[in-house]
Amino acid sequence: MTVDEIIEIVSSFNENKSPGADNIGPKLVKLVINEIVEPLRYIYNLSFLTGIVPSNLTISKVIPVYKKGEKIVLKITDYRSISLLSIFDKLLEKLMYNRISKFPEQHNILYRHQFGFRKCHSTSMALIEMVDNVYANIDSKNVTVGMYLDLQKAFDTVDHKILLCKLEMYGIRGLVLDWFRDYLTNRRQFVTIADNHSELGNITCGVPQGSVL
């Protein structure tokens, strides 16, 4: 990767985003990027060449955010966990994303009705597709039945082994697959409430929400 690529990605970061476990925010990194870009380039290139993600970049700061239920009754299931990642981790992820995001499209790997997490696709397109199908069947005098499934805590329950097998099946192999394996299996997190922090815990399943990958 080049110095210009790293600087371009950093310049696109939102300065109002909260910092991760290292308490270093985007605004500070933007101010000093010209001084630190060379060491970052060396570290990131080394990560891609070895298939190893620096362990300090895989620590998530988790903040519980109230979601539903009665606030007077404290239930852990009423809160949604927000993972705050280090800006240096986000930068590394973006560099990897830039290198693999075109691969599934170029080789026509993804199902055509996969509307999420794809360029030029959205949930609005999924709704338009559904409505068109409903109208077409009504015009043909057919009965239309809808079935909707909501997977609770889908992000938090992703099995790493299954995900890695799928990546390999779809053509992401070798050193890149090793990199993703290290990225997924060596993650740690701690929970922050006000000024109180829990001990570090290992993440055995799930993927970090807020991650571009």
Side-chain angles (χ1 to χ4, degrees), residues 5-129:
E5 182 184 9
I6 294 174
I7 292 177
E8 183 181 356
I9 294 172
V10 170
S11 65
S12 68
F13 283 147
N14 185 346
E15 293 185 3
N16 297 321
K17 290 291 185 179
S18 300
D22 53 16
N23 287 321
I24 299 175
K27 188 174 183 178
L28 176 59
V29 175
K30 283 186 175 183
L31 290 172
V32 299
I33 186 58
N34 289 323
E35 284 71 34
I36 64 174
V37 67
E38 278 294 350
L40 286 177
R41 186 173 73 93
Y42 174 78
I43 292 169
Y44 292 155
N45 275 322
L46 192 62
S47 174
F48 286 178
L49 288 170
T50 60
I52 297 173
V53 180
S55 58
N56 284 344
L57 299 188
T58 60
I59 299 175
S60 302
K61 179 167 71 174
V62 177
I63 298 178
V65 177
Y66 175 74
K67 187 177 180 181
K68 62 180 180 178
E70 299 181 24
K71 284 191 175 182
I72 57 174
V73 180
L74 185 59
K75 290 183 179 179
I76 196 170
T77 53
D78 292 341
Y79 289 79
R80 179 166 56 96
S81 61
I82 301 296
S83 296
L84 299 179
L85 309 173
S86 165
I87 186 171
F88 300 111
D89 176 59
K90 290 182 177 180
L91 179 54
L92 178 62
E93 291 178 4
K94 185 65 175 178
L95 290 164
M96 176 58 79
Y97 173 82
N98 288 344
R99 281 151 179 77
I100 67 164
S101 58
K102 295 178 182 178
F103 178 79
E105 300 289 349
Q106 288 175 344
H107 296 277
N108 198 28
I109 292 172
L110 299 179
Y111 178 49
R112 68 184 186 91
H113 287 152
Q114 169 64 42
F115 293 103
F117 310 104
R118 293 179 67 187
K119 191 175 182 180
C120 301
H121 290 71
S122 67
T123 51
S124 299
M125 292 180 65
L127 290 172
I128 292 170
E129 179 79 18

Side-chain angles (χ1 to χ4, degrees), residues 163-183:
L163 178 56
L164 290 167
C165 284
K166 283 182 175 287
L167 287 174
E168 186 174 18
M169 183 178 67
Y170 287 131
I172 296 175
R173 302 177 183 131
L175 200 58
V176 180
L177 185 64
D178 291 339
W179 189 93
F180 273 100
R181 182 178 291 107
D182 197 63
Y183 169 80

Side-chain angles (χ1 to χ4, degrees), residues 148-176:
Y148 304 90
L149 303 177
D150 182 14
L151 302 180
Q152 190 174 16
K153 298 188 181 300
F155 278 99
D156 300 332
T157 55
V158 172
D159 185 288
H160 292 163
K161 290 182 179 179
I162 295 175
L163 178 56
L164 290 167
C165 284
K166 283 182 175 287
L167 287 174
E168 186 174 18
M169 183 178 67
Y170 287 131
I172 296 175
R173 302 177 183 131
L175 200 58
V176 180

